[in-house]
Amino acid sequence: MKAPRILAVDDDPHARDLLRRLLGTLGEVMQAPHPEGAIERLTEDGPFDLVLTDMAMPNPGDGLRVLQEVKTRLPDTPVIVVTAFGNIEGALDSIQQGAFDYLAKPFDVDAIVRVARRALDQKRLVEENRSLRKQVERSTLVGRSPALLEVYKQVARAATSNVPVLITGETGTGKEMVARSLHKRSPRAAGPFIPVDCGAIAESLMESELFGHSRGAFTGATGARRGLFEEASGGTLFLDEIGDVGLKVQSQLLRVLQEGEIRRVGESAPVKVDVRVVAATNKDLQARVAEGLFREDLLYRLDVVHLRLPPLRERREDVTAMVEHFAALHARGGVRPVVTPEALARLTAYEWPGNVRQLENVVARALALNVTGVLGPQDFPEPIGDAPKKLTGLAEDMPSLAELSRRYAAQVLQHVGGNKSEAARLLGVDRKTLYKLLEAAEPEET
């Protein structure tokens, strides 16, 4: 976790140095000798997690000006105002204008540290609550298509049990969102939800990540460590891209599901764990079983409840609700944006090879570049922004959606200098989907 960044503003260099030494135990302390210097720091070195400012400083401005600038630029950052002893009226003015607290000179060393720590704790809690609200909003299933309504029913039925769940679907269909929804509606909702991207963890590290290790278990293991199964105790462990897990770890996962216990790397004694496992994949696990790449007995253990998420192109009637949901989620300044009917029609007509993830990415980018709050077709790139043009008329020489998607992916790839990871990120898809886009509708050689 990054150390908090603190700005101390005072025209007295001795007072600034004292604040630096006192608050250095709480985070990184930067200084400014006057309001203009504070504003410069906010502009060039911000954001800050806490600001302490003297009230009375030489013109131009004073501590109230610093307070106003911070509240304008960083409304969640607490400001502590330091006043001369007895200047209660000025202190009350600062509180009314949004200061977190005020302190009187000469400094009470213990009081400064105590109030600063309390202010930083409040800032951290505000950020955590915002993050949790975002997670809850993202984990909300949006749509009323028959296919999604069936998913709703299955989630409601499976949430109350403790059996493993296997979620399948194409990349970007919202498998983690469904897993979070399962957890949120389960008796384990008060416990942790820990997602694991199995495809992003090297096979050599997977065992230690999941099950933990003892000190000296392998080179570099300088201390004992709990694995993710133990971290998820009392909650849900979401194993995304389960099809990428190697056979050795598969056998250990099977033991966890059968016995409810794990063995840390380097230890022989079993450790009981109380975890619900939800797994997800975009691969055909039956095919991997036939190829000898996935254990059939593990598949049976995971596939007690099977939730299949349909791709977005199979439930186009949900696109409007999802666009509005993502537009509200990524709105700037609390103003709910408006998406024009023509834009909605074009978004609905698009094939969405990256599914829900790509749709959210496209809406978020459009809002980031739009200052009017009204999203029209021109705010979305081709072929998304002009999908109906390509779907209507049906001229024989009109390119297909697959070809348009390929051209768009190639254009983005060229824009980032051939960096496939960056192109995939901008498109809102993974690298595998990017490859499919680039291969789609390749013109035949003559």
Side-chain angles (χ1 to χ4, degrees), residues 1 100 181-182 195 201 206 216 219 230 325 332 334 363 377 405 408-409 416 423:
M1 181 181 296
F100 177 81
S181 184
L182 271 168
I201 302 175
M206 179 66 75
T219 302
E230 290 181 81
H325 172 74
R332 293 186 294 180
V363 172
S405 298
Y408 178 51
V416 297

Side-chain angles (χ1 to χ4, degrees), residues 16 30 54 67 105 118 121 140 160 172 183 194 200 246 252 279 319 327 333 370 400 420:
R16 293 200 307 273
M30 303 183 75
D54 189 20
L67 171 63
K105 288 184 177 181
R118 184 159 50 87
D121 286 342
T140 302
T160 56
H183 173 74
I194 298 184
Q252 294 167 312
V319 170
N370 180 289
S400 66
K420 293 185 173 62

Side-chain angles (χ1 to χ4, degrees), residues 424-445:
R425 187 188 68 79
L426 291 172
L427 288 165
V429 301
D430 62 10
R431 283 174 63 101
K432 294 177 183 177
T433 303
L434 173 63
Y435 291 139
K436 291 179 181 178
L437 285 173
L438 293 171
E439 294 168 0
E442 286 277 15
E444 296 182 1
E445 294 184 3

Side-chain angles (χ1 to χ4, degrees), residues 125-349:
L125 288 172
V126 167
E127 291 176 344
E128 288 179 354
N129 287 336
R130 180 179 292 111
S131 175
L132 287 172
R133 284 197 301 272
K134 289 288 187 183
Q135 289 183 12
V136 169
E137 289 171 339
R138 290 177 187 276
S139 67
T140 302
L141 297 174
V142 178
R144 285 291 180 269
S145 64
L148 197 59
L149 287 175
E150 184 57 34
V151 174
Y152 289 152
K153 292 177 186 177
Q154 292 176 310
V155 167
R157 292 167 185 159
T160 56
S161 73
N162 200 40
V163 300
V165 176
L166 179 63
I167 307 172
T168 60
E170 295 179 6
T171 296
T173 48
K175 295 186 285 294
E176 181 174 341
M177 183 170 60
V178 171
R180 288 186 181 275
S181 184
L182 271 168
H183 173 74
K184 186 173 67 174
R185 289 165 172 76
S186 76
R188 296 173 172 269
F193 175 90
I194 298 184
V196 185
D197 184 352
C198 299
I201 302 175
E203 182 67 21
S204 59
L205 300 177
M206 179 66 75
E207 186 178 5
S208 172
E209 286 290 317
L210 292 178
F211 309 117
H213 61 255
S214 63
R215 181 179 180 182
F218 50 84
T219 302
T222 56
R225 177 186 174 186
R226 298 203 320 164
L228 295 175
F229 267 97
E230 290 181 81
E231 294 291 339
S233 182
T236 302
L237 186 67
F238 174 55
L239 300 175
D240 197 9
E241 301 302 340
I242 189 68
D244 291 335
V245 174
L247 290 171
K248 179 183 178 183
V249 175
Q250 288 179 33
S251 65
Q252 294 167 312
L253 287 173
L254 181 62
R255 179 181 180 82
V256 179
L257 294 173
Q258 289 176 332
E259 309 296 336
E261 61 185 32
I262 57 103
R263 281 195 175 93
R264 301 184 187 122
V265 178
E267 295 183 6
S268 57
V271 178
K272 285 289 184 182
V273 291
D274 175 26
V275 177
R276 184 185 196 177
V277 173
V278 178
T281 183
N282 60 2
K283 293 181 170 62
D284 183 345
L285 293 186
Q286 287 287 2
R288 292 183 72 79
V289 168
E291 296 168 2
L293 299 175
F294 202 86
R295 293 181 62 119
E296 189 173 26
D297 47 3
L298 177 59
L299 176 57
Y300 291 150
R301 283 285 180 179
L302 292 170
D303 199 8
V304 179
V305 174
H306 190 152
L307 299 179
R308 176 192 174 270
L309 295 188
L312 198 52
R313 62 183 175 276
E314 291 182 9
R315 52 186 185 98
R316 294 179 189 272
E317 56 265 61
D318 291 335
V319 170
T320 294
M322 297 185 75
V323 169
E324 293 175 349
H325 172 74
F326 291 137
L329 188 63
H330 295 283
R332 293 186 294 180
V335 179
R336 190 182 185 93
V338 175
V339 186
T340 67
E342 185 180 9
L344 285 173
R346 298 186 179 192
L347 291 168
T348 301

Side-chain angles (χ1 to χ4, degrees), residues 334-407:
V335 179
R336 190 182 185 93
V338 175
V339 186
T340 67
E342 185 180 9
L344 285 173
R346 298 186 179 192
L347 291 168
T348 301
Y350 185 60
E351 287 290 287
W352 297 110
N355 292 293
V356 177
R357 184 183 302 152
Q358 184 187 10
L359 175 60
E360 179 178 6
N361 188 283
V362 165
V363 172
R365 288 208 314 274
L367 285 170
L369 299 173
N370 180 289
V371 296
T372 67
V374 179
L375 297 180
Q378 70 280 359
D379 292 297
F380 300 97
E382 293 185 6
I384 299 170
D386 61 349
K389 295 179 183 178
K390 311 306 181 190
L391 290 173
T392 57
L394 298 177
E396 290 185 359
D397 61 343
M398 192 68 72
S400 66
L401 279 173
E403 169 61 9
L404 287 168
S405 298
R406 186 188 68 78
R407 292 180 188 175

Side-chain angles (χ1 to χ4, degrees), residues 53 55 62-81 88-102:
T53 181
M55 175 64 73
D62 56 15
L64 285 180
R65 184 184 177 196
V66 176
L67 171 63
Q68 292 162 358
E69 285 289 338
V70 174
K71 291 292 104 179
T72 299
R73 298 165 181 253
L74 306 167
D76 293 333
T77 295
V79 178
I80 299 173
V81 173
I88 300 299
E89 184 177 348
L92 293 178
D93 286 343
S94 69
I95 295 294
Q96 289 177 342
Q97 294 190 39
F100 177 81
D101 207 340
Y102 68 89

